[in-house]
């Protein structure tokens, strides 16, 4: 447990205080904005490195994921929706062929999940599967510039539904946040 908590502390998901234990991190609105700035840079680089050939070689996995995403968004299972929508970004990171970008994105996604749990204005996940499909369509067409533009717009929309006022954060259940990942 101690090793797991240390790892979460390194990812800035929990804070460990001597004689008090581990608590869910409370990222500030400024830190939340900085995470989204980093995501835009990393995810743009990821999308720009995915060629139609790479996409074709992962067609089955992507098609399966897109079906799962549509099924999840059609359901009312918020946990499944969040998991599937987040997984899309991680899949792109994995298939891009750049392990460093993929690892950085993985860490940013964990931090983003905590930020969304703290700052989301409503219960409806803002990451939408039709935007993901538009990114895939642009990548299939070989238009990485268009795919990158759609991804940046997508991340802008995600950040836009957050109430990034430090006073807006609420207590977060660590189990709930981590189970959504």
């Amino acid at each position: 447990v101690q090793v797991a908590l240390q790892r979460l502390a390194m990812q800035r998901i929990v804070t460990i205080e001597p004689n008090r234990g581990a608590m869910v991190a409370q990222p500030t609105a400024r830190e939340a904005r900085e995470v989204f700035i980093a995501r835009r840079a990393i995810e743009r680089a990821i999308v720009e490195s995915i060629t139609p050939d790479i996409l074709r070689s992962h067609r089955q996995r992507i098609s399966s994921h897109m079906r799962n995403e549509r099924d999840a968004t059609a359901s009312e299972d918020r946990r499944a929706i969040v998991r599937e929508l987040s997984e899309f970004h991680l899949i792109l990171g994995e298939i891009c062929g750049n392990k460093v970008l993929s690892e950085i994105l993985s860490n940013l996604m964990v931090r983003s999940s905590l930020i969304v749990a703290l700052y989301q204005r409503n219960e409806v996940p803002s990451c939408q599967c039709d935007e993901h499909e538009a990114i895939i369509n642009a990548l299939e067409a070989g238009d990485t510039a268009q795919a990158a533009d759609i991804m940046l717009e997508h991340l802008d929309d995600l950040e836009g539904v957050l109430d990034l006022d430090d006073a807006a954060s609420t207590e977060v259940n660590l189990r709930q946040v981590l189970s959504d990942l």
Side-chain angles (χ1 to χ4, degrees):
V1 171
Q2 186 176 13
V3 171
L5 288 174
Q6 289 293 335
R7 184 169 182 226
L8 290 171
M10 286 176 43
Q11 290 180 302
R12 301 179 58 95
I13 301 303
V14 299
T15 56
I16 300 175
E17 294 184 19
N19 302 321
R20 291 199 64 207
M23 294 169 284
V24 175
Q26 298 285 316
T28 64
R30 178 186 174 132
E31 184 179 345
R33 286 185 206 95
E34 290 172 353
V35 165
F36 276 92
I37 289 168
R39 275 191 67 182
R40 283 194 268 299
I42 295 302
E43 293 199 58
R44 176 184 202 109
I46 286 170
V47 167
E48 288 175 343
S49 66
I50 298 174
T51 65
D53 288 338
I54 289 172
L55 216 50
R56 273 191 293 281
S57 69
H58 294 279
R59 175 170 297 181
Q60 184 176 355
R61 181 179 182 195
I62 291 168
S63 295
S64 174
H65 173 76
M66 295 309 290
R67 275 191 306 278
N68 293 342
E69 213 177 86
R70 281 189 294 279
D71 291 346
T73 55
S75 77
E76 293 188 19
D77 183 352
R78 186 179 192 287
R79 187 172 291 167
I81 294 168
V82 170
R83 182 182 56 248
E84 294 299 330
L85 293 174
S86 295
E87 182 69 14
F88 173 81
H89 296 265
L90 295 171
I91 288 171
L92 292 184
E94 289 172 20
I95 70 171
C96 80
N98 186 319
K99 196 169 186 159
V100 173
L101 289 175
S102 181
E103 289 171 359
I104 292 170
L105 177 63
S106 193
N107 178 268
L108 289 171
M109 291 298 294
V110 171
R111 292 176 75 180
S112 293
S113 294
L114 176 59
I115 289 164
V116 169
L118 285 169
Y119 293 105
Q120 189 168 5
R121 290 184 194 148
N122 55 42
E123 290 298 311
V124 179
S126 55
C127 190
Q128 298 298 321
C129 96
D130 59 335
E131 295 166 340
H132 291 173
E133 287 182 32
I135 292 166
I136 294 299
N137 291 339
L139 288 172
E140 284 176 341
D143 193 346
T144 56
Q146 177 67 18
D149 288 345
I150 296 167
M151 178 62 82
L152 295 178
E153 234 178 87
H154 175 60
L155 292 171
D156 287 345
D157 292 345
L158 178 57
E159 185 179 3
V161 300
L162 303 177
D163 188 0
L164 294 179
D165 173 8
D166 284 323
S169 69
T170 59
E171 288 295 312
V172 174
N173 178 316
L174 181 59
R175 181 174 302 190
Q176 178 185 346
V177 170
L178 295 177
S179 70
D180 287 345
L181 303 179

Short mmCIF file of all heavy atoms in Angstrom, two decimals, residues 27-81:
data_model
loop_
_atom_site.label_atom_id
_atom_site.label_comp_id
_atom_site.label_asym_id
_atom_site.label_seq_id
_atom_site.Cartn_x
_atom_site.Cartn_y
_atom_site.Cartn_z
N PRO A 27 -5.78 19.81 -6.67
CA PRO A 27 -5.13 20.71 -7.61
C PRO A 27 -5.88 22.03 -7.70
O PRO A 27 -7.11 22.06 -7.66
CB PRO A 27 -5.16 19.96 -8.94
CG PRO A 27 -6.15 18.87 -8.77
CD PRO A 27 -6.31 18.61 -7.31
N THR A 28 -5.14 23.09 -7.81
CA THR A 28 -5.74 24.41 -7.94
C THR A 28 -6.27 24.59 -9.36
O THR A 28 -5.94 23.82 -10.27
CB THR A 28 -4.69 25.50 -7.67
OG1 THR A 28 -3.68 25.41 -8.68
CG2 THR A 28 -4.06 25.37 -6.29
N ALA A 29 -7.06 25.62 -9.53
CA ALA A 29 -7.56 25.94 -10.87
C ALA A 29 -6.39 26.22 -11.81
O ALA A 29 -6.41 25.82 -12.98
CB ALA A 29 -8.51 27.13 -10.81
N ARG A 30 -5.37 26.88 -11.31
CA ARG A 30 -4.19 27.17 -12.13
C ARG A 30 -3.53 25.86 -12.58
O ARG A 30 -3.16 25.72 -13.75
CB ARG A 30 -3.20 28.03 -11.35
CG ARG A 30 -1.94 28.32 -12.14
CD ARG A 30 -0.90 29.05 -11.32
NE ARG A 30 0.32 29.16 -12.09
CZ ARG A 30 0.99 30.26 -12.23
NH1 ARG A 30 0.59 31.36 -11.66
NH2 ARG A 30 2.09 30.27 -12.94
N GLU A 31 -3.36 24.92 -11.66
CA GLU A 31 -2.76 23.64 -12.02
C GLU A 31 -3.63 22.90 -13.04
O GLU A 31 -3.12 22.30 -13.98
CB GLU A 31 -2.57 22.77 -10.78
CG GLU A 31 -1.87 21.46 -11.07
CD GLU A 31 -1.65 20.62 -9.83
OE1 GLU A 31 -1.77 21.11 -8.70
OE2 GLU A 31 -1.36 19.42 -10.02
N ALA A 32 -4.94 23.00 -12.88
CA ALA A 32 -5.86 22.36 -13.83
C ALA A 32 -5.65 22.94 -15.23
O ALA A 32 -5.56 22.19 -16.21
CB ALA A 32 -7.31 22.56 -13.38
N ARG A 33 -5.55 24.25 -15.31
CA ARG A 33 -5.31 24.89 -16.62
C ARG A 33 -3.97 24.43 -17.20
O ARG A 33 -3.85 24.19 -18.40
CB ARG A 33 -5.34 26.41 -16.48
CG ARG A 33 -6.73 26.97 -16.29
CD ARG A 33 -6.72 28.51 -16.27
NE ARG A 33 -7.84 28.99 -15.52
CZ ARG A 33 -7.82 29.32 -14.22
NH1 ARG A 33 -6.69 29.30 -13.55
NH2 ARG A 33 -8.91 29.72 -13.61
N GLU A 34 -2.96 24.31 -16.34
CA GLU A 34 -1.63 23.88 -16.80
C GLU A 34 -1.65 22.44 -17.29
O GLU A 34 -0.98 22.11 -18.27
CB GLU A 34 -0.60 24.06 -15.67
CG GLU A 34 -0.31 25.52 -15.39
CD GLU A 34 0.55 25.75 -14.15
OE1 GLU A 34 0.83 24.79 -13.40
OE2 GLU A 34 0.94 26.92 -13.93
N VAL A 35 -2.44 21.58 -16.66
CA VAL A 35 -2.57 20.21 -17.11
C VAL A 35 -3.18 20.19 -18.51
O VAL A 35 -2.72 19.45 -19.40
CB VAL A 35 -3.39 19.35 -16.12
CG1 VAL A 35 -3.83 18.03 -16.74
CG2 VAL A 35 -2.57 19.08 -14.85
N PHE A 36 -4.18 21.03 -18.75
CA PHE A 36 -4.80 21.06 -20.07
C PHE A 36 -3.88 21.68 -21.12
O PHE A 36 -3.89 21.26 -22.28
CB PHE A 36 -6.17 21.75 -20.04
CG PHE A 36 -7.24 20.79 -19.62
CD1 PHE A 36 -7.59 20.66 -18.29
CD2 PHE A 36 -7.85 19.96 -20.55
CE1 PHE A 36 -8.55 19.75 -17.88
CE2 PHE A 36 -8.81 19.04 -20.16
CZ PHE A 36 -9.15 18.93 -18.83
N ILE A 37 -3.05 22.61 -20.74
CA ILE A 37 -2.04 23.14 -21.67
C ILE A 37 -1.09 22.02 -22.07
O ILE A 37 -0.78 21.84 -23.25
CB ILE A 37 -1.27 24.33 -21.03
CG1 ILE A 37 -2.17 25.55 -20.92
CG2 ILE A 37 0.00 24.64 -21.82
CD1 ILE A 37 -1.61 26.68 -20.05
N ALA A 38 -0.66 21.24 -21.08
CA ALA A 38 0.25 20.12 -21.35
C ALA A 38 -0.44 19.06 -22.21
O ALA A 38 0.16 18.52 -23.15
CB ALA A 38 0.73 19.50 -20.04
N ARG A 39 -1.70 18.77 -21.92
CA ARG A 39 -2.43 17.78 -22.72
C ARG A 39 -2.53 18.23 -24.17
O ARG A 39 -2.38 17.43 -25.09
CB ARG A 39 -3.84 17.54 -22.16
CG ARG A 39 -3.85 16.51 -21.06
CD ARG A 39 -5.22 16.09 -20.71
NE ARG A 39 -5.87 15.33 -21.79
CZ ARG A 39 -7.11 14.88 -21.73
NH1 ARG A 39 -7.85 15.08 -20.64
NH2 ARG A 39 -7.63 14.22 -22.73
N ARG A 40 -2.79 19.53 -24.39
CA ARG A 40 -2.89 20.01 -25.77
C ARG A 40 -1.57 19.79 -26.52
O ARG A 40 -1.57 19.36 -27.67
CB ARG A 40 -3.31 21.47 -25.81
CG ARG A 40 -4.81 21.67 -25.55
CD ARG A 40 -5.30 23.05 -25.90
NE ARG A 40 -5.30 24.05 -24.87
CZ ARG A 40 -5.98 24.01 -23.73
NH1 ARG A 40 -6.69 22.96 -23.41
NH2 ARG A 40 -5.95 25.00 -22.88
N ALA A 41 -0.47 20.07 -25.86
CA ALA A 41 0.84 19.89 -26.52
C ALA A 41 1.12 18.42 -26.80
O ALA A 41 1.52 18.05 -27.92
CB ALA A 41 1.94 20.48 -25.63
N ILE A 42 0.89 17.57 -25.82
CA ILE A 42 1.19 16.15 -25.96
C ILE A 42 0.24 15.49 -26.95
O ILE A 42 0.67 14.74 -27.84
CB ILE A 42 1.13 15.44 -24.59
CG1 ILE A 42 2.22 15.96 -23.65
CG2 ILE A 42 1.21 13.93 -24.73
CD1 ILE A 42 3.64 15.81 -24.16
N GLU A 43 -1.06 15.76 -26.81
CA GLU A 43 -2.01 15.08 -27.70
C GLU A 43 -1.90 15.58 -29.13
O GLU A 43 -2.15 14.82 -30.07
CB GLU A 43 -3.43 15.20 -27.14
CG GLU A 43 -3.55 14.39 -25.84
CD GLU A 43 -4.95 14.06 -25.45
OE1 GLU A 43 -5.66 13.40 -26.25
OE2 GLU A 43 -5.35 14.45 -24.33
N ARG A 44 -1.50 16.82 -29.32
CA ARG A 44 -1.26 17.31 -30.69
C ARG A 44 -0.10 16.51 -31.30
O ARG A 44 -0.20 16.03 -32.43
CB ARG A 44 -0.93 18.79 -30.68
CG ARG A 44 -0.57 19.28 -32.06
CD ARG A 44 -0.14 20.75 -32.09
NE ARG A 44 -0.34 21.19 -33.44
CZ ARG A 44 -1.29 22.03 -33.84
NH1 ARG A 44 -2.10 22.57 -32.97
NH2 ARG A 44 -1.42 22.34 -35.10
N ALA A 45 0.98 16.35 -30.54
CA ALA A 45 2.13 15.60 -31.04
C ALA A 45 1.76 14.14 -31.32
O ALA A 45 2.21 13.55 -32.31
CB ALA A 45 3.28 15.67 -30.03
N ILE A 46 0.94 13.57 -30.46
CA ILE A 46 0.50 12.18 -30.66
C ILE A 46 -0.30 12.08 -31.96
O ILE A 46 -0.02 11.22 -32.81
CB ILE A 46 -0.33 11.70 -29.45
CG1 ILE A 46 0.61 11.43 -28.27
CG2 ILE A 46 -1.16 10.47 -29.79
CD1 ILE A 46 -0.09 11.17 -26.95
N VAL A 47 -1.30 12.92 -32.12
CA VAL A 47 -2.16 12.87 -33.31
C VAL A 47 -1.34 13.12 -34.57
O VAL A 47 -1.53 12.43 -35.58
CB VAL A 47 -3.33 13.87 -33.17
CG1 VAL A 47 -4.04 14.08 -34.49
CG2 VAL A 47 -4.31 13.39 -32.10
N GLU A 48 -0.42 14.05 -34.53
CA GLU A 48 0.38 14.37 -35.71
C GLU A 48 1.31 13.23 -36.11
O GLU A 48 1.77 13.18 -37.24
CB GLU A 48 1.18 15.65 -35.49
CG GLU A 48 0.30 16.88 -35.51
CD GLU A 48 1.04 18.18 -35.19
OE1 GLU A 48 2.15 18.12 -34.63
OE2 GLU A 48 0.48 19.25 -35.50
N SER A 49 1.56 12.30 -35.19
CA SER A 49 2.47 11.19 -35.52
C SER A 49 1.73 9.94 -36.00
O SER A 49 2.36 8.95 -36.36
CB SER A 49 3.34 10.86 -34.31
OG SER A 49 2.56 10.35 -33.27
N ILE A 50 0.40 9.99 -36.04
CA ILE A 50 -0.37 8.82 -36.46
C ILE A 50 -0.70 8.92 -37.95
O ILE A 50 -1.40 9.83 -38.37
CB ILE A 50 -1.66 8.67 -35.63
CG1 ILE A 50 -1.31 8.46 -34.15
CG2 ILE A 50 -2.51 7.52 -36.15
CD1 ILE A 50 -2.50 8.45 -33.22
N THR A 51 -0.16 7.99 -38.69
CA THR A 51 -0.39 7.95 -40.14
C THR A 51 -1.58 7.04 -40.46
O THR A 51 -1.97 6.22 -39.63
CB THR A 51 0.86 7.39 -40.85
OG1 THR A 51 1.04 6.03 -40.45
CG2 THR A 51 2.11 8.21 -40.53
N PRO A 52 -2.10 7.14 -41.68
CA PRO A 52 -3.16 6.20 -42.07
C PRO A 52 -2.71 4.73 -41.96
O PRO A 52 -3.51 3.88 -41.59
CB PRO A 52 -3.46 6.58 -43.52
CG PRO A 52 -3.10 8.03 -43.60
CD PRO A 52 -1.89 8.17 -42.70
N ASP A 53 -1.43 4.46 -42.24
CA ASP A 53 -0.92 3.09 -42.11
C ASP A 53 -0.97 2.61 -40.67
O ASP A 53 -1.34 1.46 -40.40
CB ASP A 53 0.52 2.98 -42.64
CG ASP A 53 0.59 3.08 -44.16
OD1 ASP A 53 -0.44 2.82 -44.82
OD2 ASP A 53 1.68 3.41 -44.67
N ILE A 54 -0.58 3.47 -39.74
CA ILE A 54 -0.64 3.11 -38.32
C ILE A 54 -2.09 2.84 -37.94
O ILE A 54 -2.40 1.85 -37.26
CB ILE A 54 -0.05 4.23 -37.44
CG1 ILE A 54 1.48 4.29 -37.60
CG2 ILE A 54 -0.42 4.02 -35.97
CD1 ILE A 54 2.13 5.48 -36.92
N LEU A 55 -2.98 3.70 -38.39
CA LEU A 55 -4.40 3.53 -38.07
C LEU A 55 -4.93 2.21 -38.64
O LEU A 55 -5.65 1.48 -37.96
CB LEU A 55 -5.19 4.71 -38.64
CG LEU A 55 -6.35 5.21 -37.83
CD1 LEU A 55 -6.00 5.47 -36.39
CD2 LEU A 55 -6.94 6.44 -38.46
N ARG A 56 -4.54 1.90 -39.88
CA ARG A 56 -4.99 0.64 -40.50
C ARG A 56 -4.49 -0.57 -39.72
O ARG A 56 -5.20 -1.55 -39.55
CB ARG A 56 -4.51 0.55 -41.95
CG ARG A 56 -5.47 1.21 -42.93
CD ARG A 56 -5.12 0.87 -44.38
NE ARG A 56 -3.85 1.45 -44.82
CZ ARG A 56 -3.70 2.71 -45.20
NH1 ARG A 56 -4.72 3.54 -45.17
NH2 ARG A 56 -2.53 3.16 -45.60
N SER A 57 -3.26 -0.49 -39.23
CA SER A 57 -2.71 -1.64 -38.50
C SER A 57 -3.38 -1.84 -37.14
O SER A 57 -3.26 -2.90 -36.55
CB SER A 57 -1.19 -1.50 -38.34
OG SER A 57 -0.88 -0.46 -37.46
N HIS A 58 -4.10 -0.83 -36.68
CA HIS A 58 -4.82 -0.93 -35.40
C HIS A 58 -6.33 -0.81 -35.60
O HIS A 58 -7.06 -0.52 -34.65
CB HIS A 58 -4.34 0.17 -34.44
CG HIS A 58 -2.92 0.00 -34.03
ND1 HIS A 58 -2.53 -0.86 -33.04
CD2 HIS A 58 -1.78 0.56 -34.50
CE1 HIS A 58 -1.22 -0.81 -32.90
NE2 HIS A 58 -0.74 0.04 -33.78
N ARG A 59 -6.78 -1.03 -36.84
CA ARG A 59 -8.19 -0.84 -37.20
C ARG A 59 -9.13 -1.64 -36.30
O ARG A 59 -10.13 -1.11 -35.82
CB ARG A 59 -8.42 -1.21 -38.65
CG ARG A 59 -9.91 -1.14 -39.02
CD ARG A 59 -10.10 -1.28 -40.46
NE ARG A 59 -9.42 -0.13 -41.05
CZ ARG A 59 -9.36 0.14 -42.32
NH1 ARG A 59 -9.94 -0.65 -43.17
NH2 ARG A 59 -8.72 1.18 -42.77
N GLN A 60 -8.81 -2.90 -36.05
CA GLN A 60 -9.71 -3.74 -35.25
C GLN A 60 -9.86 -3.20 -33.83
O GLN A 60 -10.96 -3.10 -33.30
CB GLN A 60 -9.22 -5.18 -35.23
CG GLN A 60 -10.17 -6.11 -34.51
CD GLN A 60 -9.72 -7.56 -34.58
OE1 GLN A 60 -8.74 -7.90 -35.24
NE2 GLN A 60 -10.43 -8.42 -33.87
N ARG A 61 -8.75 -2.84 -33.22
CA ARG A 61 -8.79 -2.30 -31.86
C ARG A 61 -9.57 -1.00 -31.80
O ARG A 61 -10.38 -0.78 -30.91
CB ARG A 61 -7.37 -2.09 -31.35
CG ARG A 61 -7.32 -1.56 -29.95
CD ARG A 61 -5.91 -1.38 -29.46
NE ARG A 61 -5.90 -0.91 -28.09
CZ ARG A 61 -4.85 -0.40 -27.49
NH1 ARG A 61 -3.70 -0.33 -28.14
NH2 ARG A 61 -4.93 0.02 -26.26
N ILE A 62 -9.34 -0.12 -32.76
CA ILE A 62 -10.02 1.18 -32.78
C ILE A 62 -11.51 0.99 -33.04
O ILE A 62 -12.34 1.61 -32.35
CB ILE A 62 -9.37 2.13 -33.81
CG1 ILE A 62 -7.97 2.51 -33.32
CG2 ILE A 62 -10.23 3.37 -34.03
CD1 ILE A 62 -7.11 3.20 -34.34
N SER A 63 -11.85 0.13 -34.00
CA SER A 63 -13.28 -0.11 -34.28
C SER A 63 -13.98 -0.68 -33.07
O SER A 63 -15.10 -0.26 -32.73
CB SER A 63 -13.43 -1.07 -35.46
OG SER A 63 -12.94 -0.47 -36.62
N SER A 64 -13.35 -1.63 -32.42
CA SER A 64 -13.92 -2.23 -31.21
C SER A 64 -14.10 -1.17 -30.13
O SER A 64 -15.15 -1.11 -29.46
CB SER A 64 -13.02 -3.35 -30.72
OG SER A 64 -13.46 -3.85 -29.50
N HIS A 65 -13.08 -0.34 -29.97
CA HIS A 65 -13.19 0.71 -28.95
C HIS A 65 -14.31 1.69 -29.27
O HIS A 65 -15.07 2.09 -28.39
CB HIS A 65 -11.88 1.47 -28.78
CG HIS A 65 -12.08 2.63 -27.86
ND1 HIS A 65 -12.17 2.48 -26.50
CD2 HIS A 65 -12.31 3.94 -28.11
CE1 HIS A 65 -12.44 3.64 -25.95
NE2 HIS A 65 -12.52 4.55 -26.90
N MET A 66 -14.42 2.10 -30.53
CA MET A 66 -15.46 3.06 -30.90
C MET A 66 -16.86 2.48 -30.66
O MET A 66 -17.76 3.19 -30.21
CB MET A 66 -15.29 3.52 -32.36
CG MET A 66 -14.00 4.30 -32.63
SD MET A 66 -13.68 5.68 -31.50
CE MET A 66 -14.94 6.81 -32.01
N ARG A 67 -17.04 1.17 -30.90
CA ARG A 67 -18.32 0.52 -30.57
C ARG A 67 -18.57 0.57 -29.06
O ARG A 67 -19.67 0.91 -28.62
CB ARG A 67 -18.32 -0.94 -31.04
CG ARG A 67 -18.72 -1.12 -32.48
CD ARG A 67 -18.97 -2.59 -32.82
NE ARG A 67 -17.84 -3.46 -32.49
CZ ARG A 67 -16.76 -3.63 -33.25
NH1 ARG A 67 -16.67 -3.01 -34.41
NH2 ARG A 67 -15.80 -4.44 -32.88
N ASN A 68 -17.54 0.24 -28.29
CA ASN A 68 -17.67 0.29 -26.82
C ASN A 68 -18.01 1.70 -26.34
O ASN A 68 -18.80 1.88 -25.42
CB ASN A 68 -16.40 -0.20 -26.14
CG ASN A 68 -16.13 -1.66 -26.36
OD1 ASN A 68 -17.03 -2.42 -26.74
ND2 ASN A 68 -14.90 -2.07 -26.14
N GLU A 69 -17.39 2.68 -26.98
CA GLU A 69 -17.63 4.08 -26.62
C GLU A 69 -19.08 4.47 -26.90
O GLU A 69 -19.74 5.09 -26.07
CB GLU A 69 -16.67 4.97 -27.42
CG GLU A 69 -16.23 6.19 -26.70
CD GLU A 69 -15.23 6.99 -27.51
OE1 GLU A 69 -15.66 7.82 -28.34
OE2 GLU A 69 -14.01 6.82 -27.28
N ARG A 70 -19.58 4.10 -28.08
CA ARG A 70 -20.97 4.41 -28.43
C ARG A 70 -21.94 3.71 -27.48
O ARG A 70 -22.92 4.31 -27.03
CB ARG A 70 -21.26 4.03 -29.88
CG ARG A 70 -20.74 5.04 -30.89
CD ARG A 70 -21.23 4.76 -32.30
NE ARG A 70 -20.70 3.51 -32.85
CZ ARG A 70 -19.49 3.36 -33.39
NH1 ARG A 70 -18.68 4.40 -33.47
NH2 ARG A 70 -19.10 2.21 -33.88
N ASP A 71 -21.66 2.44 -27.16
CA ASP A 71 -22.51 1.70 -26.22
C ASP A 71 -22.50 2.36 -24.85
O ASP A 71 -23.55 2.50 -24.21
CB ASP A 71 -22.05 0.24 -26.09
CG ASP A 71 -22.29 -0.57 -27.35
OD1 ASP A 71 -23.04 -0.10 -28.25
OD2 ASP A 71 -21.70 -1.67 -27.45
N ALA A 72 -21.34 2.76 -24.39
CA ALA A 72 -21.23 3.39 -23.07
C ALA A 72 -21.97 4.72 -23.04
O ALA A 72 -22.69 5.00 -22.07
CB ALA A 72 -19.76 3.59 -22.69
N THR A 73 -21.81 5.53 -24.08
CA THR A 73 -22.47 6.84 -24.07
C THR A 73 -23.98 6.70 -24.21
O THR A 73 -24.72 7.59 -23.79
CB THR A 73 -21.91 7.79 -25.16
OG1 THR A 73 -22.00 7.16 -26.43
CG2 THR A 73 -20.46 8.17 -24.88
N ALA A 74 -24.45 5.59 -24.78
CA ALA A 74 -25.89 5.36 -24.89
C ALA A 74 -26.48 4.88 -23.56
O ALA A 74 -27.68 4.97 -23.34
CB ALA A 74 -26.19 4.33 -25.98
N SER A 75 -25.62 4.40 -22.68
CA SER A 75 -26.07 3.91 -21.37
C SER A 75 -26.11 5.07 -20.38
O SER A 75 -25.76 6.20 -20.71
CB SER A 75 -25.12 2.82 -20.86
OG SER A 75 -23.93 3.41 -20.35
N GLU A 76 -26.49 4.76 -19.18
CA GLU A 76 -26.47 5.78 -18.12
C GLU A 76 -25.42 5.47 -17.08
O GLU A 76 -25.44 6.02 -15.98
CB GLU A 76 -27.86 5.89 -17.48
CG GLU A 76 -28.88 6.43 -18.46
CD GLU A 76 -30.21 6.74 -17.80
OE1 GLU A 76 -30.26 6.88 -16.57
OE2 GLU A 76 -31.19 6.84 -18.53
N ASP A 77 -24.48 4.60 -17.43
CA ASP A 77 -23.42 4.20 -16.51
C ASP A 77 -22.26 5.19 -16.64
O ASP A 77 -21.41 5.06 -17.52
CB ASP A 77 -22.97 2.77 -16.84
CG ASP A 77 -21.90 2.24 -15.89
OD1 ASP A 77 -21.39 3.01 -15.06
OD2 ASP A 77 -21.59 1.04 -16.00
N ARG A 78 -22.26 6.18 -15.77
CA ARG A 78 -21.27 7.25 -15.85
C ARG A 78 -19.84 6.71 -15.78
O ARG A 78 -18.96 7.17 -16.49
CB ARG A 78 -21.49 8.28 -14.74
CG ARG A 78 -20.56 9.47 -14.89
CD ARG A 78 -20.79 10.52 -13.81
NE ARG A 78 -20.11 11.75 -14.10
CZ ARG A 78 -18.80 11.94 -14.01
NH1 ARG A 78 -18.02 10.96 -13.65
NH2 ARG A 78 -18.27 13.10 -14.31
N ARG A 79 -19.62 5.72 -14.95
CA ARG A 79 -18.28 5.14 -14.81
C ARG A 79 -17.82 4.54 -16.14
O ARG A 79 -16.68 4.76 -16.56
CB ARG A 79 -18.29 4.09 -13.70
CG ARG A 79 -16.92 3.57 -13.38
CD ARG A 79 -16.96 2.69 -12.17
NE ARG A 79 -17.25 3.51 -11.00
CZ ARG A 79 -17.60 3.03 -9.84
NH1 ARG A 79 -17.69 1.74 -9.66
NH2 ARG A 79 -17.84 3.83 -8.83
N ALA A 80 -18.69 3.81 -16.81
CA ALA A 80 -18.35 3.21 -18.10
C ALA A 80 -18.10 4.29 -19.15
O ALA A 80 -17.19 4.18 -19.97
CB ALA A 80 -19.45 2.26 -18.56
N ILE A 81 -18.92 5.33 -19.11
CA ILE A 81 -18.76 6.43 -20.08
C ILE A 81 -17.39 7.08 -19.91
O ILE A 81 -16.64 7.25 -20.87
CB ILE A 81 -19.89 7.48 -19.91
CG1 ILE A 81 -21.24 6.86 -20.28
CG2 ILE A 81 -19.60 8.71 -20.76
CD1 ILE A 81 -22.43 7.72 -19.88
#
